[in-house]
């Protein structure tokens, strides 16, 4: 799958594969077996080389102690950062981006899985802990100028339905007949460009209209976009539902950081189960929770079309892409 997307092996790809897991990609057992074999092979080769070098040039105990201390400090620093990140403590995570060549470890899903931290509870309690997102700019100068706008006479409802990984040329009667038919009778914006071809930069620039290189700064400051801030000031009711987790990428710490009671994970064993669930939850919200007297902002984030085929694509798509 990573080869199909032509992604290089990087921290971003590893985060998607291991933290996002099956909610973002659908990997076969052959893929995992080959990956495990390659990793084990590399570890064995490096171990053999290390043993040979050690026997040839033995070092003193002081060298072993130095390495042990260095490794211990590294593990401690990364563990501290991972714990702070899982508990939404920006006092720690907010300074790591200023350290050159440092990429702090994160382990939200691991800690949540083993019961070490409750992500939902930690996020909901951050206000009581004094760590909630603030409208103060702090070190991040955003926005450069405050919004200058008056309250509209009529507050319109805003509903964003986003399909992850759907390219512009998929709006075709062969692949999306219902959406295509809907588009024929409504406005279609064909000159909109994203800052990247992945989920992280795409959603970030959709809300901030800024390059995705600002991701770390906004995540560390937990600064939401001015559009969401403005709608909240106008009394909009908000409902954000994602098929995949909202913690990887960490949209819960930037784009949706100001939204209370944000559901971080949608129950379901398969992408189509979670897609159906967020649709049902949205209908439930509009029928029983929504106050008709106030406008609403809704964001429905559906899974990519690819996982529905468990890693396989319709026979027509490889031909269109020139893939054999």
């Amino acid at each position: 799958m990573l080869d199909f997307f032509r992604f290089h092996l990087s921290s971003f790809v590893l985060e998607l594969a291991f933290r996002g897991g099956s909610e973002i990609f659908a990997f076969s057992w052959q893929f995992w077996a080959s990956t495990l074999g390659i990793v084990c092979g590399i570890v064995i080769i490096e171990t053999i080389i290390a043993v040979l070098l050690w026997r040839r040039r033995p070092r003193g105990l002081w060298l072993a102690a130095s390495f042990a201390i260095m490794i211990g400090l590294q593990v401690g620093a990364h563990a501290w950062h991972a714990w702070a990140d899982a508990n939404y403590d920006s006092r720690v995570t907010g300074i790591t981006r200023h350290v050159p060549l440092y990429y702090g470890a994160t382990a939200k899903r691991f800690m949540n899985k083993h019961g070490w931290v409750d992500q939902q509870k930690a996020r909901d309690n951050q206000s009581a802990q004094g760590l909630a997102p603030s409208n103060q700019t702090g070190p991040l100068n955003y926005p450069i100028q405050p919004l200058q706008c008056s309250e509209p006479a009529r507050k319109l409802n805003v509903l964003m339905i986003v399909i992850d990984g759907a390219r512009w040329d998929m709006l075709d009667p062969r692949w999306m007949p219902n959406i295509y038919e809907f588009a024929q009778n409504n406005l279609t914006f064909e000159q909109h460009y994203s800052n990247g071809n992945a989920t992280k930069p795409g959603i970030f620039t959709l809300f901030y209209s800024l390059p995705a290189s600002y991701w770390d700064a906004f995540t560390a400051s937990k600064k939401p976009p001015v559009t969401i801030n403005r709608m909240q000031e106008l009394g909009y009711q908000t409902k954000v539902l994602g098929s995949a987790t909202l913690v990887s990428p960490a949209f819960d710490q930037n784009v949706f950081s100001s939204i209370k009671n944000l559901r971080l994970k949608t129950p379901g064993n398969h992408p189509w189960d979670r897609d159906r669930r967020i649709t049902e939850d949205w209908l439930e919200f509009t029928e029983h929770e929504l106050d008709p007297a106030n406008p609403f902002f809704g964001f429905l984030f559906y899974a990519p079309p690819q996982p529905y085929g468990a890693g396989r694509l319709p026979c027509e798509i490889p031909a269109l892409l020139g893939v054999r």
Side-chain angles (χ1 to χ4, degrees):
M1 177 52 59
L2 298 181
D3 179 66
F4 176 80
F5 283 106
R6 299 295 190 267
F7 282 163
H8 292 287
L9 189 61
S10 63
S11 59
F12 167 68
V13 173
L14 293 176
E15 181 182 13
L16 285 180
F18 293 103
R19 293 184 64 194
S22 60
E23 298 180 15
I24 298 178
F25 290 120
F27 296 123
S28 64
W29 69 268
Q30 294 94 336
F31 172 84
W32 288 114
S34 60
T35 301
L36 181 61
I38 293 173
V39 172
C40 291
I42 294 175
V43 172
I44 292 173
I45 293 174
E46 290 187 347
T47 302
I48 294 174
I49 295 175
V51 171
L52 293 176
L53 291 175
W54 180 265
R55 290 180 177 178
R56 187 172 181 179
R57 298 189 63 183
R59 302 289 183 178
L61 293 178
W62 64 268
L63 186 58
S66 299
F67 273 110
I69 294 174
M70 291 176 59
I71 293 175
L73 292 175
Q74 285 287 338
V75 172
H78 283 284
W80 188 11
H81 184 277
W83 180 262
D85 179 70
N87 286 275
Y88 295 86
D89 190 345
S90 59
R91 295 173 300 181
V92 176
T93 59
I95 63 175
T96 55
R97 69 185 185 90
H98 300 291
V99 181
L101 303 178
Y102 181 79
Y103 188 83
T106 57
K108 282 184 180 179
R109 295 168 65 89
F110 178 82
M111 292 184 180
N112 187 60
K113 179 180 178 180
H114 290 81
W116 297 351
V117 64
D118 188 331
Q119 287 179 259
Q120 193 73 57
K121 184 177 180 180
R123 188 183 190 280
D124 294 341
N125 291 341
Q126 60 179 313
S127 296
Q129 298 171 354
L131 305 175
S134 171
N135 289 330
Q136 302 298 323
T137 56
L140 183 64
N141 188 18
Y142 171 86
I144 296 178
Q145 297 292 336
L147 290 179
Q148 297 182 3
C149 52
S150 58
E151 184 170 339
R154 180 188 176 193
K155 302 174 185 176
L156 301 178
N157 296 323
V158 179
L159 174 60
M160 300 179 66
I161 301 176
V162 181
I163 304 174
D164 192 13
R167 300 191 316 272
W168 67 272
D169 55 355
M170 293 183 68
L171 187 60
D172 187 282
R174 293 173 295 176
W175 319 125
M176 296 181 173
N178 295 326
I179 299 180
Y180 177 82
E181 182 180 356
F182 176 81
Q184 301 311 301
N185 301 316
N186 293 276
L187 293 177
T188 302
F189 300 94
E190 299 180 348
Q191 299 298 322
H192 174 76
Y193 292 92
S194 176
N195 186 238
N197 63 344
T199 305
K200 179 177 174 178
I203 297 298
F204 183 85
T205 55
L206 177 65
F207 280 93
Y208 289 102
S209 297
L210 291 171
S213 55
Y214 285 98
W215 171 274
D216 290 337
F218 278 87
T219 302
S221 301
K222 293 182 172 56
K223 189 69 175 178
V226 291
T227 50
I228 292 183
N229 269 345
R230 180 56 178 165
M231 285 190 288
Q232 290 178 319
E233 292 173 357
L234 294 175
Y236 272 70
Q237 304 164 87
T238 58
K239 191 69 172 180
V240 176
L241 298 169
S243 179
T245 175
L246 295 178
V247 302
S248 178
F251 297 125
D252 62 319
Q253 298 191 47
N254 44 52
V255 176
F256 306 125
S257 60
S258 63
I259 295 180
K260 297 180 180 179
N261 302 319
L262 179 68
R263 188 172 71 189
L264 304 179
K265 182 178 177 62
T266 297
N269 296 324
H270 304 286
W272 52 87
D273 294 328
R274 294 187 291 271
D275 282 351
R276 186 181 298 112
R277 175 63 182 269
I278 65 174
T279 302
E280 294 172 350
D281 290 346
W282 173 256
L283 295 176
E284 177 73 16
F285 169 74
T286 57
E287 293 176 3
H288 301 287
E289 301 178 34
L290 192 63
D291 182 3
N294 295 316
F296 66 77
F297 164 70
F299 183 81
L300 303 182
F301 196 23
Y302 289 92
Q306 179 275 327
Y308 286 84
R312 297 184 178 181
L313 298 173
C315 57
E316 297 89 346
I317 293 183
L320 291 175
L321 299 177
V323 179
R324 296 181 179 179

